[in-house]
Amino acid sequence: MRAAGRSVRARLRDRIAASDPGLLRLTAGLRTVGAIALTLAVLAPLGADVHLLVAGAMAAMVATFAIREKQLGAQAVTLALGLPVALVSVTLGAVLNARLYAGDVFFVVLIFCAVYGRRFGDRGTALGLIGFQIYFLSLFVGAEVSALPALCGAIAVAFCSSALLRFAVVPATPTGVLLRLRLAFRARLAQLVSAQLDLLDAAPDEMDKALEAVRDGTARLHETAMMIQAQLEEGTPDESAARLVQRRIADAEIAAERLGLLLLTSRSAERADTLTLHLPGAPAPSVGQPAVPDETTATLRRDLQALRALVLRAGSGDAGTGLAHVRNRLLGYRDEENLPPAPAAVQDVFRGIGEAARSVLGLRIALDGPQDESDDTPATARSREELDAEDAAIDGGEEPAEEQETGLRRPTTRAAVQVAVGSALAIVGGELLSTQRWYWAVLTCWIVFLNTASTGEILVKGYRRLLGTVFGVVAGIVLAGLVGQHTWTAFGLVLVLIFAMFYVAPLSYTLMSFFVTAMLGLLYTLLHTYSLDVLLLRVEETALGAACGVVAAALVLPVRTDRRTNELLGTVLDRLAEVTEAAVGQLSGGPADELLDKARDLDQALADLRAATQPLTHPVTPLRARRHTARYVVALLETCAYHARTLAATAELLPTHPSIAADPRLRGAAGRTVRNIETIAARVADEHAAARVETGPSIASLLGSDAGTPRYGRITDRVLRHLERLDEAVVGLARPLGVPMAEPRA
């Protein structure tokens, strides 16, 4: 019974870890709700009226979510600086509340300074956010000079409550966050193996569903790997340890993605490429049951289940003899003589399982230190020796500083000017709608500019906020009717809605806006200012604020969506060329390079491009042709990034792996691919560029013979396949991007 209970708890823990990597959303929600509850618990016995309770609750929320630094010491400094900023802001709000023009001018200046402060990093962003939100708070509760002492006291209590929750009750150190992200990576890796197992067993009419699950699992694993990358510097004791974890995470991610491709290839008539996995909505290839004996399929199924068990136990302290036997068997597939009799495509799946098991072993050694080697087989011992040699070869390197833009070209300066103009328009329009609650339009204008960089992104964000607000108004009406005048019931529901708001914020901006608006309906009820007209006015002010933001973004120092996506596309292509050239250079016998760092830079650039193309790929966009083109281009770039990552990971093994040898011919064979990437990048930067994309013989034939006869060896053949696929995907980019094709060379 106890073992069963532990098993249930472990499965539940893994599911939570996988659904919320690092428990970041759960931590944010609990910390914010706890700070608000503690503030209310302190203020209520002191006889604070409902206005002070609402002000304290809002201040606690602001003090909690505004701080974004990773180190606790930096968080403490920012929180300490935030309190005087908040007190000054609420004081000025109370003093200027009755002075119409002076208050409006100051509000616009404050907004400009708050956005401009983002150029000074997380601390500048936090202090600007606190200043703006507390000034808004003073308008919301109708702060007056006579009530300032009590109001300042409530804000001080809120900041102290936030500090107590942050540093004592729900602390989140970089080391702890990284540990939870590692658990999430393990859980998501196990989920991906489960999806691959379903892909193996899926009937032909179930392939689309099974393949979609593999796509989702691969994307979720990659997302967690990127989150770990962002935490490595602060969460590990030194640079060497960070680079070791980075390499092992990359190895596991690539091995898992490759295993899915090998499984798909074993089920299809033709070799699968990554376009099948990355292109949204792509149909599954024609498949059938593998033409292998039932016992071979049963062995394959058993080994996938064993790999999943190995992943789930990778973080446990005691592997046990049984698990060591499983590990040894899977690692044995890396030796040709241990492969079961089967077609080549199915044998590749067994090899993929062996490589995945090796990556899990490397990840465990990197995270948990040396392991018991008493049960090792010769195959396992060789894997350990390879991993040790790779770890010893790791050396840190300095990254070059990026050139910073200046003046109005600097994004923070441009955004500050835009939001100041948009807020001025929102103030004028908002006061025409309501002289009492005009600030809602300003708040919406401010919010749509946060974390956006183009007119299209602002338009989409404004649309989502308006949609969430409309549905939130309906929910607010229902909740206000149910609560009536029960103050503490309303505060309880407010806490629930705030937790939901923070928990869903990274997932859906529309849902977050829904919970915010529903919460505001309850706050209006608490302040005895609730009415249907007030909530409808909220919708009108939201629409006005979003419109003012879009107008300001479109007319004042505009950054068109096309320009933004072209800039990011050029960055992705530059990063892709760098990774490919460096990886092929190292595989050709050239000097070692920081390949994994370059690969992660490529991943980050691609993530930025994917986010920037959301206005083009949004379902409501009227430009369907552009939507399909944007989705297709991003999918092809996903394909290129996968092959470049794999080439980089293989090249990193070159100095230490006994089965990989440099081949100087690769540099010349891959030169066309690199030139094509640079040609496309030049065309994106200048549509009048005259260069053309080259086509011609296959990469393998450039080495001196056909791709299949004879095979070059398992590792070299894999490198060639990745180079072939990369070359095909790069050429495929030419058509949607309007790059002309050159005549094939004779």
Side-chain angles (χ1 to χ4, degrees):
M1 290 295 290
R2 290 182 180 177
R6 285 196 298 269
S7 177
V8 171
R9 288 195 298 272
R11 287 198 298 270
L12 179 61
R13 180 195 62 195
D14 289 338
R15 287 184 179 180
I16 294 174
S19 64
D20 181 15
L23 302 182
L24 299 178
R25 301 189 339 255
L26 180 65
T27 300
L30 290 177
R31 184 185 286 163
T32 306
V33 168
I36 294 173
L38 182 59
T39 301
L40 296 176
V42 173
L43 294 178
L46 298 177
D49 63 18
V50 70
H51 287 77
L52 288 179
L53 294 177
V54 170
M58 293 180 68
M61 182 173 66
V62 173
T64 304
F65 77 73
I67 312 298
R68 295 299 183 192
E69 286 134 322
K70 295 182 177 69
Q71 297 290 348
L72 292 181
Q75 294 176 15
V77 172
T78 302
L79 194 60
L81 293 174
L83 179 56
V85 170
L87 297 180
V88 170
S89 185
V90 74
T91 301
L92 290 173
V95 171
L96 298 175
N97 189 23
R99 294 171 174 80
L100 180 62
Y101 297 111
D104 291 347
V105 171
F106 175 77
F107 202 10
V108 173
V109 172
L110 174 63
I111 289 169
F112 175 88
C113 294
V115 177
Y116 186 78
R118 289 156 53 182
R119 66 168 295 193
F120 300 108
D122 289 337
R123 180 162 297 158
T125 301
L127 296 179
L129 189 59
I130 289 171
F132 171 83
Q133 293 287 359
I134 297 299
Y135 192 89
F136 173 84
L137 180 155
S138 70
L139 299 175
F140 182 77
V141 300
E144 298 178 353
V145 176
S146 60
L148 270 178
L151 194 56
C152 290
I155 292 174
V157 169
F159 271 73
C160 292
S161 299
S162 177
L164 182 61
L165 264 292
R166 178 179 295 275
F167 301 119
V169 181
V170 192
T173 63
T175 303
V177 171
L178 182 59
L179 175 61
R180 292 193 292 271
L181 284 173
R182 284 158 35 185
L183 294 175
F185 185 86
R186 184 200 69 187
R188 286 191 167 181
L189 180 56
Q191 288 180 347
L192 178 55
V193 175
S194 297
Q196 292 169 348
L197 185 59
D198 293 338
L199 182 67
L200 173 69
D201 292 330
D205 60 345
E206 297 174 341
M207 278 295 295
D208 282 332
K209 181 179 179 181
L211 185 55
E212 184 63 31
V214 173
R215 286 191 190 110
D216 291 342
T218 302
R220 285 159 60 85
L221 186 69
H222 182 63
E223 174 194 29
T224 311
M226 293 299 292
M227 295 173 70
I228 290 175
Q229 172 73 14
Q231 292 285 338
L232 279 176
E233 184 176 348
E234 290 83 6
T236 46
D238 54 58
E239 186 177 354
S240 295
R243 291 184 59 78
L244 176 59
V245 174
Q246 177 189 18
R247 172 178 285 184
R248 295 302 166 224
I249 290 291
D251 286 347
E253 179 191 353
I254 292 170
E257 186 167 3
R258 181 170 179 272
L259 178 58
L261 292 171
L262 294 173
L263 274 167
L264 186 59
T265 297
S266 73
R267 295 292 310 274
S268 59
E270 299 178 355
R271 180 176 299 279
D273 63 29
T274 53
L275 185 60
T276 307
L277 289 178
H278 288 138
L279 186 60
S286 58
V287 297
Q289 294 297 335
V292 295
D294 290 341
E295 57 268 21
T296 303
T297 303
T299 301
L300 190 57
R301 184 180 300 109
R302 178 201 64 183
D303 288 337
L304 284 171
Q305 293 170 341
L307 177 62
R308 180 177 58 191
L310 196 65
V311 171
L312 289 172
R313 292 290 300 275
S316 60
D318 182 15
T321 304
L323 200 63
H325 175 72
V326 167
R327 178 200 62 206
N328 293 338
R329 186 180 78 247
L330 300 187
L331 288 172
Y333 291 140
R334 302 182 67 227
D335 294 333
E336 297 291 327
E337 61 270 16
N338 292 329
L339 294 173
V346 177
Q347 285 191 330
D348 280 343
V349 178
F350 282 105
R351 292 190 187 98
I353 292 175
E355 294 296 336
R358 177 190 183 274
S359 71
V360 173
L361 174 64
L363 191 59
R364 183 175 183 187
I365 294 173
L367 299 180
D368 301 329
Q371 310 295 314
D372 182 9
E373 303 178 13
S374 58
D375 296 319
D376 281 1
T377 61
T380 303
R382 283 195 296 274
S383 294
R384 289 191 190 274
E385 290 171 1
E386 292 171 6
L387 292 168
D388 291 341
E390 293 167 19
D391 297 346
I394 290 178
D395 186 21
E398 295 184 1
E399 297 183 2
E402 295 186 0
E403 182 180 353
Q404 299 293 327
E405 295 181 329
T406 58
L408 292 177
R409 295 176 57 195
R410 182 183 285 117
T412 50
T413 305
R414 181 175 58 243
V417 173
Q418 288 176 325
V419 74
V421 173
S423 297
L425 295 175
I427 289 173
V428 174
E431 289 185 342
L432 292 176
L433 287 176
S434 171
T435 57
Q436 299 297 319
R437 296 182 176 85
W438 53 269
Y439 44 79
W440 287 121
V442 181
L443 179 67
T444 300
C445 182
W446 155 279
I447 287 178
V448 297
F449 274 95
L450 295 179
N451 301 318
T452 54
S454 71
T455 305
E457 291 179 61
I458 291 170
L459 181 60
V460 169
K461 192 170 184 180
Y463 158 78
R464 289 173 174 168
R465 184 167 183 84
L466 181 59
L467 186 65
T469 299
V470 170
F471 287 104
V473 163
V474 176
I477 293 171
V478 173
L479 291 175
L482 293 175
V483 169
Q485 299 302 316
H486 297 85
T487 300
W488 292 109
T489 302
F491 269 122
L493 285 175
V494 165
L495 293 179
V496 172
L497 292 172
I498 288 175
F499 177 83
M501 175 182 71
F502 278 91
Y503 196 78
V504 305
L507 304 178
S508 171
Y509 186 72
T510 302
L511 275 178
M512 188 196 76
S513 300
F514 166 80
F515 288 121
V516 168
T517 304
M519 175 196 70
L520 289 173
L522 291 174
L523 291 181
Y524 278 130
T525 302
L526 289 170
L527 295 173
H528 307 295
T529 56
Y530 167 79
S531 70
L532 179 59
D533 291 339
V534 168
L535 291 182
L536 292 178
L537 178 64
R538 160 83 171 149
V539 175
E540 294 172 352
E541 297 278 4
T542 298
L544 174 65
C548 291
V550 172
V551 169
L555 300 181
V556 181
L557 304 175
V559 177
R560 308 296 183 192
T561 302
D562 286 347
R563 173 187 160 192
R564 170 71 174 167
T565 53
N566 282 345
E567 289 176 352
L568 293 176
L569 176 58
T571 301
V572 172
L573 292 170
D574 290 341
R575 299 287 184 269
L576 179 62
E578 289 174 4
V579 174
T580 304
E581 190 170 24
V584 172
Q586 193 161 322
L587 287 166
S588 303
D593 206 338
E594 305 297 334
L595 293 176
L596 288 183
D597 286 342
K598 292 180 183 295
R600 285 310 182 198
D601 289 342
L602 169 61
D603 288 335
Q604 185 58 58
L606 186 54
D608 294 339
L609 175 64
R610 194 185 303 111
T613 56
Q614 285 186 1
L616 303 178
T617 59
H618 197 275
V620 301
T621 180
L623 305 175
R624 295 185 179 275
R626 290 181 64 191
R627 180 176 68 185
H628 292 314
T629 299
R631 295 178 69 192
Y632 186 73
V633 168
V634 171
L636 280 173
L637 289 170
E638 293 275 8
T639 297
C640 294
Y642 164 70
H643 292 300
R645 278 199 309 270
T646 307
L647 288 172
T650 305
E652 286 263 323
L653 301 177
L654 186 62
T656 57
H657 203 292
S659 64
I660 304 177
D663 189 337
R665 297 175 298 171
L666 286 173
R667 186 186 299 276
R672 182 183 69 197
T673 304
V674 175
R675 288 194 301 273
N676 283 341
I677 298 172
E678 294 172 344
T679 296
I680 296 173
R683 181 76 177 200
V684 169
D686 179 9
E687 62 181 10
H688 301 296
R692 294 172 178 264
V693 168
E694 302 175 25
T695 59
S698 68
I699 297 293
S701 67
L702 293 176
L703 292 186
S705 65
D706 294 332
T709 54
R711 288 171 67 92
Y712 297 93
R714 180 162 55 87
I715 298 296
T716 306
D717 188 59
R718 185 194 305 176
V719 169
L720 287 175
R721 286 203 304 268
H722 286 298
L723 285 173
E724 286 275 11
R725 296 300 184 186
L726 178 59
D727 186 64
E728 293 168 2
V730 169
V731 171
L733 281 169
R735 182 183 59 80
L737 294 177
V739 184
M741 306 287 291
E743 293 294 330
R745 296 182 180 179

PDB file of all heavy atoms in Angstrom, residues 562-583:
ATOM      1  N   ASP A 562       5.871  43.691 -40.853  1.00  0.00           N
ATOM      2  CA  ASP A 562       6.758  43.153 -41.890  1.00  0.00           C
ATOM      3  C   ASP A 562       8.215  43.476 -41.592  1.00  0.00           C
ATOM      4  O   ASP A 562       9.098  42.619 -41.734  1.00  0.00           O
ATOM      5  CB  ASP A 562       6.376  43.723 -43.260  1.00  0.00           C
ATOM      6  CG  ASP A 562       5.095  43.110 -43.794  1.00  0.00           C
ATOM      7  OD1 ASP A 562       4.661  42.091 -43.227  1.00  0.00           O
ATOM      8  OD2 ASP A 562       4.532  43.655 -44.748  1.00  0.00           O
ATOM      9  N   ARG A 563       8.459  44.712 -41.181  1.00  0.00           N
ATOM     10  CA  ARG A 563       9.839  45.102 -40.874  1.00  0.00           C
ATOM     11  C   ARG A 563      10.366  44.315 -39.682  1.00  0.00           C
ATOM     12  O   ARG A 563      11.504  43.822 -39.708  1.00  0.00           O
ATOM     13  CB  ARG A 563       9.887  46.598 -40.582  1.00  0.00           C
ATOM     14  CG  ARG A 563      11.245  47.090 -40.095  1.00  0.00           C
ATOM     15  CD  ARG A 563      11.189  48.543 -39.666  1.00  0.00           C
ATOM     16  NE  ARG A 563      12.287  48.897 -38.791  1.00  0.00           N
ATOM     17  CZ  ARG A 563      12.351  50.030 -38.103  1.00  0.00           C
ATOM     18  NH1 ARG A 563      11.382  50.918 -38.199  1.00  0.00           N
ATOM     19  NH2 ARG A 563      13.390  50.286 -37.324  1.00  0.00           N
ATOM     20  N   ARG A 564       9.550  44.190 -38.663  1.00  0.00           N
ATOM     21  CA  ARG A 564       9.967  43.454 -37.471  1.00  0.00           C
ATOM     22  C   ARG A 564      10.264  41.992 -37.799  1.00  0.00           C
ATOM     23  O   ARG A 564      11.305  41.446 -37.405  1.00  0.00           O
ATOM     24  CB  ARG A 564       8.859  43.548 -36.413  1.00  0.00           C
ATOM     25  CG  ARG A 564       9.014  42.651 -35.197  1.00  0.00           C
ATOM     26  CD  ARG A 564      10.121  43.103 -34.306  1.00  0.00           C
ATOM     27  NE  ARG A 564      10.165  42.314 -33.082  1.00  0.00           N
ATOM     28  CZ  ARG A 564      11.177  42.311 -32.232  1.00  0.00           C
ATOM     29  NH1 ARG A 564      12.231  43.058 -32.459  1.00  0.00           N
ATOM     30  NH2 ARG A 564      11.144  41.573 -31.152  1.00  0.00           N
ATOM     31  N   THR A 565       9.357  41.332 -38.529  1.00  0.00           N
ATOM     32  CA  THR A 565       9.572  39.923 -38.852  1.00  0.00           C
ATOM     33  C   THR A 565      10.754  39.744 -39.794  1.00  0.00           C
ATOM     34  O   THR A 565      11.496  38.762 -39.681  1.00  0.00           O
ATOM     35  CB  THR A 565       8.303  39.319 -39.472  1.00  0.00           C
ATOM     36  OG1 THR A 565       7.884  40.121 -40.586  1.00  0.00           O
ATOM     37  CG2 THR A 565       7.175  39.249 -38.460  1.00  0.00           C
ATOM     38  N   ASN A 566      10.953  40.693 -40.710  1.00  0.00           N
ATOM     39  CA  ASN A 566      12.109  40.589 -41.603  1.00  0.00           C
ATOM     40  C   ASN A 566      13.421  40.720 -40.834  1.00  0.00           C
ATOM     41  O   ASN A 566      14.402  40.011 -41.112  1.00  0.00           O
ATOM     42  CB  ASN A 566      12.043  41.659 -42.697  1.00  0.00           C
ATOM     43  CG  ASN A 566      11.060  41.303 -43.798  1.00  0.00           C
ATOM     44  OD1 ASN A 566      10.629  40.156 -43.897  1.00  0.00           O
ATOM     45  ND2 ASN A 566      10.690  42.272 -44.600  1.00  0.00           N
ATOM     46  N   GLU A 567      13.447  41.640 -39.850  1.00  0.00           N
ATOM     47  CA  GLU A 567      14.656  41.778 -39.031  1.00  0.00           C
ATOM     48  C   GLU A 567      14.945  40.487 -38.261  1.00  0.00           C
ATOM     49  O   GLU A 567      16.087  40.013 -38.216  1.00  0.00           O
ATOM     50  CB  GLU A 567      14.490  42.944 -38.058  1.00  0.00           C
ATOM     51  CG  GLU A 567      14.521  44.321 -38.718  1.00  0.00           C
ATOM     52  CD  GLU A 567      14.262  45.433 -37.713  1.00  0.00           C
ATOM     53  OE1 GLU A 567      13.913  45.117 -36.553  1.00  0.00           O
ATOM     54  OE2 GLU A 567      14.412  46.617 -38.079  1.00  0.00           O
ATOM     55  N   LEU A 568      13.894  39.927 -37.668  1.00  0.00           N
ATOM     56  CA  LEU A 568      14.086  38.696 -36.896  1.00  0.00           C
ATOM     57  C   LEU A 568      14.404  37.521 -37.806  1.00  0.00           C
ATOM     58  O   LEU A 568      15.196  36.640 -37.436  1.00  0.00           O
ATOM     59  CB  LEU A 568      12.833  38.406 -36.065  1.00  0.00           C
ATOM     60  CG  LEU A 568      12.551  39.421 -34.951  1.00  0.00           C
ATOM     61  CD1 LEU A 568      11.233  39.103 -34.261  1.00  0.00           C
ATOM     62  CD2 LEU A 568      13.681  39.418 -33.921  1.00  0.00           C
ATOM     63  N   LEU A 569      13.783  37.495 -38.994  1.00  0.00           N
ATOM     64  CA  LEU A 569      14.095  36.435 -39.951  1.00  0.00           C
ATOM     65  C   LEU A 569      15.556  36.518 -40.370  1.00  0.00           C
ATOM     66  O   LEU A 569      16.244  35.487 -40.471  1.00  0.00           O
ATOM     67  CB  LEU A 569      13.174  36.556 -41.169  1.00  0.00           C
ATOM     68  CG  LEU A 569      13.437  35.579 -42.326  1.00  0.00           C
ATOM     69  CD1 LEU A 569      13.336  34.139 -41.845  1.00  0.00           C
ATOM     70  CD2 LEU A 569      12.450  35.833 -43.463  1.00  0.00           C
ATOM     71  N   GLY A 570      16.044  37.737 -40.600  1.00  0.00           N
ATOM     72  CA  GLY A 570      17.454  37.895 -40.927  1.00  0.00           C
ATOM     73  C   GLY A 570      18.351  37.411 -39.806  1.00  0.00           C
ATOM     74  O   GLY A 570      19.382  36.767 -40.051  1.00  0.00           O
ATOM     75  N   THR A 571      17.952  37.681 -38.550  1.00  0.00           N
ATOM     76  CA  THR A 571      18.736  37.200 -37.402  1.00  0.00           C
ATOM     77  C   THR A 571      18.755  35.680 -37.356  1.00  0.00           C
ATOM     78  O   THR A 571      19.805  35.066 -37.110  1.00  0.00           O
ATOM     79  CB  THR A 571      18.151  37.761 -36.097  1.00  0.00           C
ATOM     80  OG1 THR A 571      18.169  39.193 -36.140  1.00  0.00           O
ATOM     81  CG2 THR A 571      18.957  37.292 -34.898  1.00  0.00           C
ATOM     82  N   VAL A 572      17.598  35.052 -37.578  1.00  0.00           N
ATOM     83  CA  VAL A 572      17.536  33.586 -37.575  1.00  0.00           C
ATOM     84  C   VAL A 572      18.449  33.012 -38.654  1.00  0.00           C
ATOM     85  O   VAL A 572      19.206  32.060 -38.407  1.00  0.00           O
ATOM     86  CB  VAL A 572      16.080  33.104 -37.789  1.00  0.00           C
ATOM     87  CG1 VAL A 572      16.040  31.584 -37.982  1.00  0.00           C
ATOM     88  CG2 VAL A 572      15.212  33.491 -36.601  1.00  0.00           C
ATOM     89  N   LEU A 573      18.399  33.579 -39.849  1.00  0.00           N
ATOM     90  CA  LEU A 573      19.229  33.075 -40.936  1.00  0.00           C
ATOM     91  C   LEU A 573      20.718  33.272 -40.638  1.00  0.00           C
ATOM     92  O   LEU A 573      21.540  32.391 -40.936  1.00  0.00           O
ATOM     93  CB  LEU A 573      18.854  33.774 -42.241  1.00  0.00           C
ATOM     94  CG  LEU A 573      17.457  33.432 -42.787  1.00  0.00           C
ATOM     95  CD1 LEU A 573      17.081  34.355 -43.935  1.00  0.00           C
ATOM     96  CD2 LEU A 573      17.399  31.973 -43.237  1.00  0.00           C
ATOM     97  N   ASP A 574      21.066  34.400 -40.044  1.00  0.00           N
ATOM     98  CA  ASP A 574      22.467  34.621 -39.661  1.00  0.00           C
ATOM     99  C   ASP A 574      22.920  33.582 -38.639  1.00  0.00           C
ATOM    100  O   ASP A 574      24.025  33.018 -38.742  1.00  0.00           O
ATOM    101  CB  ASP A 574      22.644  36.029 -39.091  1.00  0.00           C
ATOM    102  CG  ASP A 574      22.503  37.117 -40.149  1.00  0.00           C
ATOM    103  OD1 ASP A 574      22.621  36.795 -41.348  1.00  0.00           O
ATOM    104  OD2 ASP A 574      22.257  38.286 -39.770  1.00  0.00           O
ATOM    105  N   ARG A 575      22.069  33.347 -37.628  1.00  0.00           N
ATOM    106  CA  ARG A 575      22.412  32.340 -36.603  1.00  0.00           C
ATOM    107  C   ARG A 575      22.504  30.944 -37.229  1.00  0.00           C
ATOM    108  O   ARG A 575      23.374  30.145 -36.863  1.00  0.00           O
ATOM    109  CB  ARG A 575      21.365  32.341 -35.489  1.00  0.00           C
ATOM    110  CG  ARG A 575      21.231  33.649 -34.727  1.00  0.00           C
ATOM    111  CD  ARG A 575      22.405  33.884 -33.802  1.00  0.00           C
ATOM    112  NE  ARG A 575      22.213  35.082 -33.007  1.00  0.00           N
ATOM    113  CZ  ARG A 575      22.613  36.296 -33.344  1.00  0.00           C
ATOM    114  NH1 ARG A 575      23.257  36.461 -34.500  1.00  0.00           N
ATOM    115  NH2 ARG A 575      22.387  37.337 -32.574  1.00  0.00           N
ATOM    116  N   LEU A 576      21.597  30.656 -38.160  1.00  0.00           N
ATOM    117  CA  LEU A 576      21.617  29.348 -38.817  1.00  0.00           C
ATOM    118  C   LEU A 576      22.902  29.165 -39.606  1.00  0.00           C
ATOM    119  O   LEU A 576      23.528  28.085 -39.568  1.00  0.00           O
ATOM    120  CB  LEU A 576      20.398  29.217 -39.729  1.00  0.00           C
ATOM    121  CG  LEU A 576      20.269  27.919 -40.526  1.00  0.00           C
ATOM    122  CD1 LEU A 576      20.133  26.724 -39.590  1.00  0.00           C
ATOM    123  CD2 LEU A 576      19.061  27.993 -41.466  1.00  0.00           C
ATOM    124  N   ALA A 577      23.316  30.193 -40.327  1.00  0.00           N
ATOM    125  CA  ALA A 577      24.568  30.110 -41.083  1.00  0.00           C
ATOM    126  C   ALA A 577      25.758  29.917 -40.144  1.00  0.00           C
ATOM    127  O   ALA A 577      26.668  29.121 -40.431  1.00  0.00           O
ATOM    128  CB  ALA A 577      24.744  31.365 -41.935  1.00  0.00           C
ATOM    129  N   GLU A 578      25.761  30.629 -39.010  1.00  0.00           N
ATOM    130  CA  GLU A 578      26.863  30.509 -38.054  1.00  0.00           C
ATOM    131  C   GLU A 578      26.956  29.093 -37.498  1.00  0.00           C
ATOM    132  O   GLU A 578      28.050  28.512 -37.430  1.00  0.00           O
ATOM    133  CB  GLU A 578      26.665  31.507 -36.914  1.00  0.00           C
ATOM    134  CG  GLU A 578      26.871  32.966 -37.309  1.00  0.00           C
ATOM    135  CD  GLU A 578      26.523  33.906 -36.162  1.00  0.00           C
ATOM    136  OE1 GLU A 578      26.213  33.396 -35.057  1.00  0.00           O
ATOM    137  OE2 GLU A 578      26.538  35.134 -36.358  1.00  0.00           O
ATOM    138  N   VAL A 579      25.815  28.531 -37.087  1.00  0.00           N
ATOM    139  CA  VAL A 579      25.833  27.187 -36.510  1.00  0.00           C
ATOM    140  C   VAL A 579      26.270  26.172 -37.556  1.00  0.00           C
ATOM    141  O   VAL A 579      27.118  25.299 -37.295  1.00  0.00           O
ATOM    142  CB  VAL A 579      24.436  26.822 -35.958  1.00  0.00           C
ATOM    143  CG1 VAL A 579      24.415  25.373 -35.481  1.00  0.00           C
ATOM    144  CG2 VAL A 579      24.061  27.743 -34.814  1.00  0.00           C
ATOM    145  N   THR A 580      25.698  26.262 -38.749  1.00  0.00           N
ATOM    146  CA  THR A 580      26.021  25.288 -39.794  1.00  0.00           C
ATOM    147  C   THR A 580      27.493  25.357 -40.175  1.00  0.00           C
ATOM    148  O   THR A 580      28.187  24.332 -40.248  1.00  0.00           O
ATOM    149  CB  THR A 580      25.146  25.540 -41.031  1.00  0.00           C
ATOM    150  OG1 THR A 580      23.767  25.502 -40.655  1.00  0.00           O
ATOM    151  CG2 THR A 580      25.407  24.497 -42.091  1.00  0.00           C
ATOM    152  N   GLU A 581      27.984  26.565 -40.396  1.00  0.00           N
ATOM    153  CA  GLU A 581      29.382  26.717 -40.804  1.00  0.00           C
ATOM    154  C   GLU A 581      30.331  26.243 -39.713  1.00  0.00           C
ATOM    155  O   GLU A 581      31.321  25.560 -39.993  1.00  0.00           O
ATOM    156  CB  GLU A 581      29.654  28.174 -41.160  1.00  0.00           C
ATOM    157  CG  GLU A 581      31.006  28.404 -41.815  1.00  0.00           C
ATOM    158  CD  GLU A 581      31.143  29.814 -42.365  1.00  0.00           C
ATOM    159  OE1 GLU A 581      30.442  30.724 -41.866  1.00  0.00           O
ATOM    160  OE2 GLU A 581      31.953  30.001 -43.292  1.00  0.00           O
ATOM    161  N   ALA A 582      30.019  26.593 -38.461  1.00  0.00           N
ATOM    162  CA  ALA A 582      30.901  26.186 -37.364  1.00  0.00           C
ATOM    163  C   ALA A 582      30.863  24.677 -37.154  1.00  0.00           C
ATOM    164  O   ALA A 582      31.904  24.036 -36.931  1.00  0.00           O
ATOM    165  CB  ALA A 582      30.494  26.908 -36.083  1.00  0.00           C
ATOM    166  N   ALA A 583      29.663  24.073 -37.242  1.00  0.00           N
ATOM    167  CA  ALA A 583      29.545  22.627 -37.032  1.00  0.00           C
ATOM    168  C   ALA A 583      30.243  21.861 -38.149  1.00  0.00           C
ATOM    169  O   ALA A 583      31.004  20.917 -37.892  1.00  0.00           O
ATOM    170  CB  ALA A 583      28.073  22.230 -36.954  1.00  0.00           C
TER     171      ALA A 583
END
